[in-house]
Coordinates of all heavy atoms in Angstrom, one line a residue:
L8 N -0.4 13.6 6.5 CA -1.5 12.7 6.2 C -1.4 11.5 7.1 O -2.4 11.0 7.7 CB -1.5 12.2 4.7 CG -1.5 13.4 3.7 CD1 -1.6 12.7 2.3 CD2 -2.8 14.2 3.9
Y35 N -18.5 -5.9 12.1 CA -17.7 -4.7 12.2 C -16.4 -4.9 12.9 O -15.3 -4.4 12.5 CB -18.6 -3.7 13.0 CG -18.0 -2.3 13.0 CD1 -18.3 -1.3 12.0 CD2 -17.1 -1.9 14.0 CE1 -17.7 -0.1 12.0 CE2 -16.5 -0.6 14.0 CZ -16.8 0.3 13.0 OH -16.3 1.5 13.0
E39 N -12.6 -4.1 11.6 CA -11.6 -3.3 12.4 C -10.3 -4.1 12.6 O -9.2 -3.5 12.5 CB -12.1 -3.0 13.8 CG -13.1 -1.8 13.7 CD -13.4 -1.3 15.2 OE1 -13.7 -2.2 16.0 OE2 -13.3 -0.1 15.4
A40 N -10.4 -5.4 12.8 CA -9.2 -6.2 13.0 C -8.3 -6.3 11.8 O -7.1 -6.4 11.9 CB -9.6 -7.6 13.5
I75 N -12.0 5.8 4.4 CA -10.6 5.9 4.8 C -9.8 4.9 4.0 O -8.7 5.2 3.5 CB -10.5 5.6 6.3 CG1 -11.1 6.7 7.1 CG2 -9.0 5.5 6.7 CD1 -11.1 6.5 8.6
D127 N -13.4 24.1 -0.5 CA -14.2 23.0 0.0 C -13.5 22.4 1.2 O -14.2 22.0 2.2 CB -14.5 22.0 -1.0 CG -15.7 22.4 -1.9 OD1 -16.3 23.4 -1.6 OD2 -16.0 21.6 -2.8
I139 N -16.5 18.6 17.8 CA -15.4 18.2 18.7 C -15.0 19.3 19.6 O -14.8 20.4 19.2 CB -14.2 17.7 17.9 CG1 -13.2 16.9 18.8 CG2 -13.5 18.8 17.2 CD1 -13.8 15.5 19.2
Y169 N -1.3 28.4 12.9 CA -0.1 27.8 13.4 C 0.4 28.4 14.7 O 0.9 27.7 15.6 CB 1.0 28.0 12.3 CG 0.9 27.0 11.2 CD1 0.9 27.4 9.8 CD2 0.6 25.6 11.4 CE1 0.8 26.5 8.8 CE2 0.5 24.7 10.4 CZ 0.6 25.2 9.1 OH 0.5 24.3 8.0
V186 N 4.9 21.8 13.8 CA 4.3 23.1 13.7 C 5.4 24.1 13.4 O 5.2 25.1 12.7 CB 3.5 23.4 15.0 CG1 3.0 24.9 14.9 CG2 2.4 22.4 15.2
A203 N 14.2 31.4 7.2 CA 13.5 30.3 7.8 C 14.5 29.2 8.2 O 14.1 28.2 8.9 CB 12.5 29.7 6.9
L252 N 15.4 8.3 2.1 CA 14.5 8.0 3.2 C 13.2 7.4 2.7 O 12.6 6.5 3.3 CB 14.2 9.3 4.0 CG 13.4 9.1 5.3 CD1 14.0 8.1 6.2 CD2 13.2 10.5 5.9
S291 N 3.5 3.0 -12.0 CA 3.2 2.0 -11.1 C 2.2 2.4 -10.0 O 1.3 1.6 -9.7 CB 4.6 1.6 -10.4 OG 4.3 0.6 -9.4
L382 N -7.8 1.6 -31.6 CA -6.8 0.6 -31.6 C -5.4 1.3 -31.9 O -4.4 1.0 -31.3 CB -7.1 -0.4 -32.7 CG -6.1 -1.6 -32.8 CD1 -6.0 -2.4 -31.5 CD2 -6.6 -2.6 -33.9

Side-chain angles (χ1 to χ4, degrees):
L8 301 186
Y35 189 91
E39 279 192 312
I75 293 175
D127 276 357
I139 193 70
Y169 282 133
V186 177
L252 186 56
S291 175
L382 187 57

